[in-house]
Amino acid sequence: MIMFKESAIHKFRKLPTPFYYYDVSILEKTLQCVSEEAGKYGYQIHYAVKANANDKILKIIRDYGFGVDCVSGNEIAKVMNIGFDPECTVFAGVGKSDWEINFALDHNIFCFNCESKPELEVINEFAGKKGKIAPIALRINPNINPATHHYITTGIEENKFGISQWELDNILSLLKNLENVKLIGLHFHIGSQIIDLKSFKSLCMSVNQIQERFIKYQIIVDHINVGGGLGINYEDPDKNTIPDFAEYFGLFNNLLELRPKQKVHFELGRSIIAQCGSLITRVLYIKNGVKTKFAIVDAGMTELLRPALYQAYHRIENLTSYGKSDRYDVVGPICESSDCFGKYIELPETKRNDLLAIRSVGAYGEIMAFRYNLRDLVKSYYSDEL
Ligand SMILES: *Cc1c(COP(=O)(O)O)cnc(C)c1O
């Protein structure tokens, strides 16, 4: 265990559990690496706020000069408060409501990533009423199925996301008649937790083909936004703490066929923020089941939903016991059978009051906390403040 120093574990013992713990130095090293590798090609990064919208984390990301990718009006309000530049803010989502569109127009964001014909018409109407021209990108569904959990694929035609390619001709003729939107980009996002870079290779090929089609219409957009989705190593978070951003950005640099002055944008969430976070939880009881032992902990699906929602795997470590190992089903206190963090997990012999760390939970962890069973919303602590 590289991540947890004895001194930190000593402090954990005095804190009320469960809580999220963020290692700020891991976040900063990750941001540094993204900056350097993307900087080589002049790529622009928008941090996907939905992965984690903690004030302190957003401020650190802001200080590295990143932009943001928002999926709601409240996310836009939050990042404006934190001090992100509206000029580096993009707004995606299949269901942008009226107030959200108006709010984004009032803040003069960089780009609306649009997902349907009626959405384009509504943005055009609202922008017209304000005497503005809304900058838009078309989110195109490239019909690529990345090897990831089916709940987190977004770029295949059966998903609700994006504009299908058969609809493009239609959309382009519509756009000619919309005077208050300006097409500035093409947007893609094929899914999340993508480990096999072949999927990104297919994405590049698809983007190149779609660009050819646009060029036939004599349309050359200012930017190509390839979204996010780069995966992380959940099995061994200490081995690959920082994803291979050099290889990732290098692939796009090799394969994307760009027109002169065309910029490339990325929207990274998980790959930036997942590895710096852990959920620290206390063992309440060890209970003998018929076939297995249960380690019942004080965190549940209300603090970390991913295992229940997507059958997500998170590495679990016992921070305070070191004896010979045994197997446990690590479960929470919530009244749902899906409230289970892992089955038949190997841990050192575990007892009441031991502290466990559930690893790699910085992305889509705390932000998904909810109050079922009237649980308190989970707290967070940071390595540089303990
Ligand atoms: C969620 C999302 C992202 C970020 O995805 P990660 O897998 O966390 O990198 C990027 N773009 C859009 C449009 C999204 O919805």
Side-chain angles (χ1 to χ4, degrees), residues 48 50-51 69 71 92 139 187 189 191-193 227-230 267-271 364:
K50 76 172 187 287
D69 163 39
V71 293
R139 176 170 180 176
H187 176 236
H189 175 67
S192 204
Q193 184 52 17
L230 178 62
E267 301 166 336
L268 299 175
R270 187 191 313 270
S271 54
Y364 309 107

Side-chain angles (χ1 to χ4, degrees), residues 215-276:
I215 283 159
K216 286 207 184 98
Y217 284 97
Q218 292 165 331
I219 298 172
I220 296 180
V221 293
D222 300 342
H223 77 270
I224 304 290
N225 182 337
V226 292
L230 178 62
I232 62 143
N233 188 340
Y234 281 102
E235 279 73 31
D236 194 351
D238 295 322
K239 190 170 127 216
N240 292 96
T241 308
I242 299 178
D244 194 342
F245 291 110
E247 192 184 6
Y248 174 70
F249 292 121
L251 179 145
F252 285 92
N253 180 55
N254 284 334
L255 297 177
L256 271 187
E257 290 163 11
L258 298 176
R259 313 300 148 177
K261 289 203 219 150
Q262 224 168 29
K263 295 259 184 220
V264 183
H265 293 237
F266 290 81
E267 301 166 336
L268 299 175
R270 187 191 313 270
S271 54
I272 287 179
I273 195 70
Q275 294 291 29
C276 75

Side-chain angles (χ1 to χ4, degrees), residues 70 72-81 89 91 103-104 107 109:
C70 297
S72 74
N74 284 349
E75 282 189 3
I76 297 174
K78 163 75 98 172
V79 298
M80 294 299 116
N81 269 330
T89 300
F91 181 20
F103 187 73
H107 282 277
I109 63 162

Side-chain angles (χ1 to χ4, degrees), residues 12 37 45 72 81 98 116 128 197 232 238 250 301 309 317:
F12 290 172
E37 297 302 332
I45 308 295
S72 74
N81 269 330
D98 296 10
S116 68
L197 291 186
I232 62 143
D238 295 322
M301 65 198 287
L309 186 61
E317 293 166 358

Side-chain angles (χ1 to χ4, degrees), residues 310-321:
Y310 316 117
Q311 299 144 358
Y313 171 83
H314 288 274
R315 194 178 149 79
I316 301 173
E317 293 166 358
N318 186 324
L319 300 181
T320 51
S321 280

